[in-house]
């Protein structure tokens, strides 16, 4: 399987395992989101990935940022506190989404428009595998929810079809009849 993204940026299975391991070794509690989060739920890589999307508790964000700097990453996109993307000389990208985690296990992500995206505790309860590494990730329900409210791409449609097939879940419009 090719692992080069459309702009030359890519994150392989080994890259994702390594980066998550480095963060975990520093006590960072990360959840995997996006394409790698979906593949973690499925337990296998289904397509190439441009970046590794991670959700981090806001108080751990500065530590994660420092770790990534020490790993040779630099800020490519700075929309803090909503998100920031870091890129290294190997063209690996990490997209960091800081959240406020609540005592009940739910979390809130600040949005660009000033609103909040609320993850209930179930949304943060996903578990999966990337390569040989067990990871926290968004739940199946949250993966589906995060793929609504916009016109899906062909990749979005393919990802949702894989979730429906693997987990036997019903998809919302516009993903029905895939």
């Amino acid at each position: 399987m090719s692992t080069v993204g459309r702009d030359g940026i890519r994150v392989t299975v080994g890259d994702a395992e390594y980066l998550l391991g480095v963060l975990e070794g520093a006590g960072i509690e990360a959840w995997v989101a996006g394409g790698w989060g979906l593949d973690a739920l499925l337990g296998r890589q289904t397509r190439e990935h441009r970046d590794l999307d991670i959700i981090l508790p806001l108080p751990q964000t500065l530590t994660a940022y420092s770790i990534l700097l020490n790993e040779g990453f630099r800020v490519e996109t700075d929309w803090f506190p909503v998100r920031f993307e870091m890129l290294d000389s190997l063209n690996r990208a990490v997209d960091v989404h800081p959240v406020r985690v609540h005592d009940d296990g739910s979390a809130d992500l600040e949005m660009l428009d000033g609103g909040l995206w609320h993850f209930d505790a179930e949304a943060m309860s996903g578990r999966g595998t990337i390569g040989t590494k067990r990871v926290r990730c968004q739940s199946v329900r949250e993966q589906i929810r995060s793929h609504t409210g916009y016109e899906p791409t062909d990749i979005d449609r393919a990802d949702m079809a894989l979730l429906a097939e693997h987990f036997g879940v019903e998809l919302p419009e516009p993903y029905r009849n895939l």
Side-chain angles (χ1 to χ4, degrees):
M1 170 180 310
S2 168
T3 57
V4 177
R6 64 189 173 277
D7 51 8
I9 300 171
R10 74 340 185 200
V11 175
T12 66
V13 170
D15 295 334
E17 285 179 299
Y18 175 76
L19 293 167
L20 291 167
V22 167
L23 294 171
E24 183 181 286
I28 303 294
E29 182 180 10
W31 288 266
V32 182
W36 273 119
L38 186 134
D39 279 2
L41 289 167
L42 297 172
R44 63 186 171 87
Q45 184 177 1
T46 62
R47 62 175 172 86
E48 62 187 28
H49 296 281
R50 182 191 178 281
D51 60 8
L52 175 64
D53 288 284
I54 56 173
I55 298 170
L56 300 177
L58 189 57
Q60 296 180 354
T61 303
L62 184 56
T63 302
Y65 172 80
S66 296
I67 289 167
L68 291 169
L69 282 177
N70 287 335
E71 288 290 320
F73 285 80
R74 65 178 171 18
V75 174
E76 180 73 12
T77 303
D78 183 359
W79 293 351
F80 189 81
V82 174
R83 66 176 274 267
F84 59 93
E85 184 177 55
M86 297 183 79
L87 184 67
D88 73 359
S89 63
L90 299 174
N91 277 339
R92 299 180 299 184
V94 179
D95 198 354
V96 180
H97 304 267
V99 295
R100 287 180 177 83
V101 180
H102 305 289
D103 291 341
D104 65 358
S106 67
D108 290 316
L109 172 71
E110 195 167 319
M111 304 294 288
L112 282 174
D113 66 5
L116 294 176
W117 182 275
H118 181 72
F119 300 101
D120 63 20
E122 190 279 337
M124 305 296 281
S125 70
R127 297 293 183 268
T129 306
I130 296 176
T132 60
K133 182 158 192 50
R134 294 282 299 155
V135 298
R136 289 181 195 92
C137 56
Q138 292 178 311
S139 68
V140 171
R141 182 177 55 83
E142 185 60 26
Q143 274 283 349
I144 294 168
R145 178 178 166 241
S146 68
H147 281 83
T148 60
Y150 64 92
E151 185 59 36
T153 66
D154 290 343
I155 290 173
D156 294 328
R157 291 179 189 284
D159 285 351
M160 291 299 98
L162 286 169
L163 279 184
E165 178 183 326
H166 187 84
F167 292 101
V169 294
E170 185 166 328
L171 298 174
E173 289 296 339
Y175 298 103
R176 291 196 181 118
N177 306 317
L178 292 177

